[in-house]
Amino acid sequence: AQKVTQAQTEISVVEKEDVTLDCVYETRDTTYYLFWYKQPPSGELVFLIRRNSFDEQNEISGRYSWNFQKSTSSFNFTITASQVVDSAVYFCALSEADTGTASKLTFGTGTRLQVTL
Amino acid sequence: EAEVAQSPRYKITEKSQAVAFWCDPISGHATLYWYRQILGQGPELLVQFQDESVVDDSQLPKDRFSAERLKGVDSTLKIQPAELGDSAMYLCASSPRTSGRRYEQYFGPGTRLTVT
């Protein structure tokens, strides 16, 4: 069975601080995908990134960066110089990749990030 | 940019009543998902369609929930009768048919259901 754990329920930072959101996963699959989604107060889930289990290169996109470490089953997300607009709930998710069709996402419980002035 | 459409955005209903939600995926997307998100938790899959066929409905409470995607395009999720515990956000998502992108899911704005 797949499982995603986001141990941080809520994080509060002051604007311009860096913040890291932790994600630990469990799966028996050898091939899988990892995702991060952002859920602002409006409720819609916004896709941020997808990583293939074979690709352990870290990725940077503007102020966002992701650190994938297969050895520790972690896929952490860092926001550099946080801004008030980053305030949202962030979800880490996992899906199988060995199926012929797309497969469901298994989500963590989310981390609520509050960025204040 | 194409989006997943859902309606209604908000629904309040009394317990034991019937309620239905509608989803229109991004044009051309083969896979459609319905997720339920209880307040303070992550979304959980209720049902997954590949075109008009159900791929996974193992977590759908079939005694009261039903879902259909008759022509392989839009979809309806129904609850009858609604119970207090059904209060949640119901999210629809879709994935492209393209092999390299079929693992990307794009979500609609959701329907927030309150059962009183």
Side-chain angles (χ1 to χ4, degrees):
Chain A
Q2 299 183 331
K3 184 178 179 182
V4 176
T5 301
Q6 295 180 256
Q8 303 153 308
T9 304
E10 189 161 347
I11 300 175
S12 292
V13 298
V14 176
E15 201 176 40
K16 298 183 184 176
E17 287 185 2
D18 299 347
V19 58
T20 296
L21 309 181
D22 297 334
C23 173
V24 174
Y25 63 91
E26 296 175 29
T27 180
R28 294 182 192 151
D29 299 323
T30 54
T31 307
Y32 50 89
Y33 286 102
L34 293 163
F35 303 79
W36 276 95
Y37 282 85
K38 175 181 180 180
Q39 189 173 43
S42 60
E44 183 171 349
L45 281 165
V46 178
F47 168 79
L48 295 178
I49 189 172
R50 177 193 64 158
R51 300 300 285 172
N52 184 311
S53 55
F54 290 136
D55 182 2
E56 290 193 65
Q57 266 195 329
N58 292 330
E59 182 157 340
I60 298 174
S61 176
R63 295 184 298 106
Y64 295 170
S65 62
W66 292 269
N67 183 348
F68 176 29
Q69 294 200 346
K70 209 168 181 177
S71 60
T72 56
S73 297
S74 66
F75 185 44
N76 296 337
F77 173 30
T78 297
I79 302 174
T80 302
S82 60
Q83 300 177 359
V84 172
V85 293
D86 296 327
S87 298
V89 180
Y90 291 86
F91 288 96
C92 181
L94 170 69
S95 77
E96 299 175 357
D98 290 330
T99 61
T101 60
S103 68
K104 69 176 183 181
L105 291 169
T106 298
F107 286 86
T109 51
T111 297
R112 179 177 299 277
L113 175 64
Q114 185 76 27
V115 182
T116 56
L117 293 171
Chain B
E1 187 174 305
E3 296 178 341
V4 176
Q6 287 188 250
S7 66
R9 292 292 308 277
Y10 303 91
K11 180 71 178 178
I12 300 174
T13 191
E14 293 182 349
K15 66 178 182 178
S16 79
Q17 295 298 304
V19 63
F21 314 129
W22 177 79
C23 172
D24 190 12
I26 294 173
S27 178
H29 279 198
T31 311
L32 185 147
Y33 314 78
W34 282 102
Y35 289 85
R36 177 170 62 183
Q37 185 180 16
I38 296 171
L39 189 64
Q41 299 182 19
E44 292 185 328
L45 182 74
L46 290 175
V47 61
Q48 176 183 342
F49 291 92
Q50 179 70 21
D51 297 309
E52 66 276 6
S53 300
V54 173
V55 173
D56 184 351
D57 64 357
S58 57
Q59 299 303 309
L60 188 71
K62 299 181 187 62
D63 57 333
R64 297 185 300 107
F65 286 64
S66 64
E68 60 183 17
R69 193 184 184 199
L70 292 177
K71 296 183 180 178
V73 181
D74 59 339
S75 174
T76 302
L77 177 69
K78 296 179 182 176
I79 308 175
Q80 184 174 15
E83 296 180 353
L84 295 177
D86 296 331
S87 294
M89 175 79 90
Y90 290 83
L91 293 161
C92 179
S94 66
S95 294
R97 195 181 297 275
T98 311
S99 62
R101 294 183 55 218
R102 66 175 184 266
Y103 298 102
E104 295 176 5
Q105 295 187 23
Y106 296 89
F107 284 80
T111 296
R112 189 174 296 279
L113 173 67
T114 302
V115 182
T116 61

